[in-house]
Amino acid sequence: MLCTVASLGDEDGDDALVRTDALPALRSPRFRVKLAVLSGPDAGKTYPLAPGRYRVGSEATSDIVLPDRSVSRQHLVLEVREDGVRAVDPGSRNGSFCEGMRFSELEVRPGATLTLGTTELKLVPEGEKTRALPLSSRSSFGGLVGNSRRMREVFTLLERLAQGESDVLIQGETGTGKELCAEAIHTHGMRSKGPFVIADLAGIPPQLLESELFGHVKGAFTGAHGDRAGAFERAHGGTLFLDEVGELPLEVQPRLLRVLERRQVKRVGANDYRTFHVRVVAATHQDLEGAVKQGRFRGDLFHRLAVLRVVLPPLRERPDDIPLLIDTVLARLGKPPSALSDVTRALLTQYPWPGNVRELRNVVDRVVSLGEEALPDIPDVPAPVPPPEDDSESTQSLALDLPFKEAKERLIEGFERDYLRNLVERCEGNVSRAAREAGIDRVYLRKLLRKHGLESGGP
């Protein structure tokens, strides 16, 4: 039978295409789930899914075509069965994510959200109506900046929850701006005139955690020369930001739970409780749900912290925001947009930014300080760099002979390989030190090293 193609899209003709021979649900009213596009070029469209196998990607021959530049030609395979849906990433360039976590194979429950490039897809149960979060008109919220659909949806959520009193959990990769998000919630909330206190749980020695959070009285332990108020008391009337709450030792978690439930704190060594009025905003880059399943984090504490949740998208999922972010960084440095050339901007826009906004900010700062003529010498900047001497042709000359997308992929691959080789040599194989210098998470750095065959046995 010849393959027929049905258009489900826009008036301009640049619409998503779906092969009707692969989607029997289009001919039959019986189907169990549908795929709804929440964001991206095809936002608002839905595709019924009957049992079968569906290829999702930007390639015209895919069963479900997504005209998204950040979606690979063959990005995802959905295996729809009578008892569930399995999603398989065959090796896409930018990866596939479910509820913010990257996966290669996954059983997807109805109601879950999948992210492919800048496109968000939701598996919606039969009969359930889909409603995308309305878009804020903002291009910033506090220190957070972005005009992409993803960030404007985040701003809509922040506008609503900032006016409440419930505790908030912010999730997102390292460098996505979780502290800026917490401060924006405080600034736009009813407690804005009160203190904003930060407790970095990853930076406090374990033996001092309880004292730092709850305070202590004189003589409670060696070195306690006087009474001291903890973070909860110091934040009275305002907001307490618990950064990296996923690092909290298991033995301290029960006491934190009691404090959050009772809104009372007892200093270390004291007998009496002190009442406080604080809004708690916690943040983590970890998968706390996974930590709960593994017994590393208490489930009751997780649910107490996550009364409201905000997930900050990584920069690679919102590349349209990079030009605005560059201009924002330049403005804070007192520099005009012309401080960076179009060529440099193009290079910065192409890079996937594993260190997210923090890494972008640091790179722009260095380029401005050292001058664009030093751009190739700056390790973090994704400029095309010469390959090792044993390569027969230069990366750049090879890339110029390829189609644009493949050329860009080749240049980025070359940059990653050469940057990582230089980084590992400079840090003498110490992965922890290399991750700190690069401004990226150590787990992600190890993944990149394995990808390019550069993994060492260092810490």
Side-chain angles (χ1 to χ4, degrees):
M1 182 181 75
L2 292 176
C3 171
T4 58
V5 178
S7 172
L8 303 177
D10 305 323
E11 296 178 357
D12 59 8
D14 186 18
D15 41 15
L17 300 177
V18 58
R19 290 169 47 189
T20 55
D21 65 327
L23 295 179
L26 291 178
R27 302 190 299 269
S28 169
R30 299 183 61 188
F31 57 88
R32 298 178 61 253
V33 293
K34 56 185 176 181
L35 190 67
V37 185
L38 301 183
S39 66
D42 276 358
K45 296 179 181 177
T46 59
Y47 304 105
L49 300 179
R53 186 174 183 273
Y54 304 88
R55 293 176 296 116
V56 183
S58 59
E59 193 172 53
T61 57
S62 298
D63 300 317
I64 298 177
V65 181
L66 299 176
D68 183 338
R69 290 183 301 172
S70 56
V71 170
S72 297
R73 292 189 293 273
Q74 297 181 21
H75 200 115
L76 190 70
V77 174
L78 293 177
E79 299 172 357
V80 183
R81 309 182 307 271
E82 293 290 347
D83 61 343
V85 178
R86 185 170 185 79
V88 179
D89 187 321
S92 65
R93 181 175 68 254
N94 293 325
S96 299
F97 298 80
C98 180
E99 309 293 355
M101 301 303 297
R102 187 164 185 167
F103 68 90
S104 56
E105 294 187 20
L106 184 72
E107 288 291 330
V108 187
R109 57 176 176 78
T113 301
L114 304 175
T115 302
L116 281 60
T118 62
T119 296
E120 284 186 308
L121 307 170
K122 184 176 183 179
L123 278 177
V124 184
E126 180 180 2
E128 182 177 309
K129 295 182 179 180
T130 58
R131 182 175 64 87
L133 197 64
L135 296 182
S136 171
S137 59
R138 296 173 178 267
S139 59
S140 65
F141 190 85
L144 297 174
V145 175
N147 52 21
S148 64
R149 184 181 185 90
R150 294 291 302 278
M151 288 306 293
R152 288 164 64 196
E153 286 179 347
V154 170
F155 296 158
T156 297
L157 180 60
L158 292 177
E159 289 167 358
R160 295 178 180 180
L161 63 81
Q163 299 306 311
E165 287 286 294
S166 298
D167 295 341
V168 181
L169 176 64
I170 304 170
Q171 294 177 288
E173 295 179 5
T174 300
T176 49
K178 296 186 289 294
E179 182 176 331
L180 293 176
C181 182
E183 192 168 4
I185 292 172
H186 170 75
T187 303
H188 289 81
M190 294 183 290
R191 296 178 176 270
S192 59
K193 294 183 179 179
F196 178 72
V197 176
I198 301 173
D200 180 5
L201 303 186
I204 302 173
Q207 64 273 20
L208 297 179
L209 261 174
E210 292 196 39
S211 173
E212 191 65 30
L213 289 175
F214 314 128
H216 64 257
V217 297
K218 182 179 179 180
F221 51 84
T222 303
H225 301 301
D227 292 355
R228 184 175 186 272
F232 280 94
E233 289 185 68
R234 298 199 304 273
H236 179 72
T239 303
L240 173 60
F241 177 47
L242 298 177
D243 196 12
E244 295 301 346
V245 70
E247 303 288 342
L248 191 67
L250 199 57
E251 60 271 19
V252 182
Q253 293 177 23
R255 187 168 182 192
L256 175 60
L257 178 62
R258 286 195 299 272
V259 169
L260 294 175
E261 292 284 0
R262 299 180 58 170
R263 252 39 187 185
Q264 290 183 322
V265 65
K266 184 169 69 172
R267 295 181 179 182
V268 177
N271 296 317
D272 58 323
Y273 283 88
R274 297 168 182 259
T275 300
F276 61 85
H277 297 285
V278 165
R279 186 179 197 182
V280 175
V281 179
T284 181
H285 72 280
Q286 295 188 22
D287 172 19
L288 284 191
E289 293 95 327
V292 170
K293 292 178 181 177
Q294 297 169 12
R296 295 186 292 106
F297 202 86
R298 291 179 61 106
D300 47 6
L301 177 57
F302 167 72
H303 293 298
R304 187 63 188 80
L305 290 169
V307 177
L308 298 172
R309 268 204 280 183
V310 180
V311 178
L312 297 180
L315 191 52
R316 64 179 173 276
E317 293 181 11
R318 53 185 187 106
D320 293 347
D321 286 335
I322 292 178
L324 176 60
L325 288 166
I326 291 174
D327 288 342
T328 301
V329 175
L330 291 175
R332 290 174 181 170
L333 294 173
K335 302 293 183 179
S338 58
L340 293 184
S341 69
D342 292 341
V343 173
T344 299
R345 285 174 175 271
L347 289 170
L348 297 179
T349 303
Q350 292 173 8
Y351 185 54
W353 297 109
N356 293 296
V357 180
R358 179 185 298 149
E359 184 185 8
L360 172 63
R361 183 177 62 244
N362 292 341
V363 168
V364 172
D365 194 349
R366 279 199 292 271
V367 173
V368 170
S369 300
L370 300 177
E372 291 190 359
E373 66 277 2
L375 186 61
D377 299 326
I378 302 174
D380 288 337
V381 175
V385 293
E389 294 181 1
D390 57 348
D391 283 4
S392 57
E393 297 180 74
S394 73
T395 303
Q396 189 167 5
S397 63
L398 282 172
L400 293 176
D401 295 333
L402 299 173
F404 173 77
K405 287 185 178 180
E406 294 182 28
K408 186 173 74 171
E409 291 175 22
R410 182 71 61 84
L411 289 174
I412 291 175
E413 286 285 322
F415 158 71
E416 282 187 357
R417 182 183 62 249
D418 296 335
Y419 169 59
L420 291 171
R421 184 183 290 110
N422 177 274
L423 178 68
V424 171
E425 290 178 358
R426 191 170 70 249
C427 296
E428 300 176 336
N430 188 309
V431 176
S432 298
R433 175 185 162 194
R436 287 193 298 271
E437 289 199 15
I440 61 178
D441 185 74
R442 186 173 63 177
V443 174
Y444 185 77
L445 176 58
R446 285 191 181 278
K447 184 175 182 180
L448 288 176
L449 292 173
R450 285 195 299 270
K451 172 184 174 183
H452 295 282
L454 300 173
E455 188 174 28
S456 66

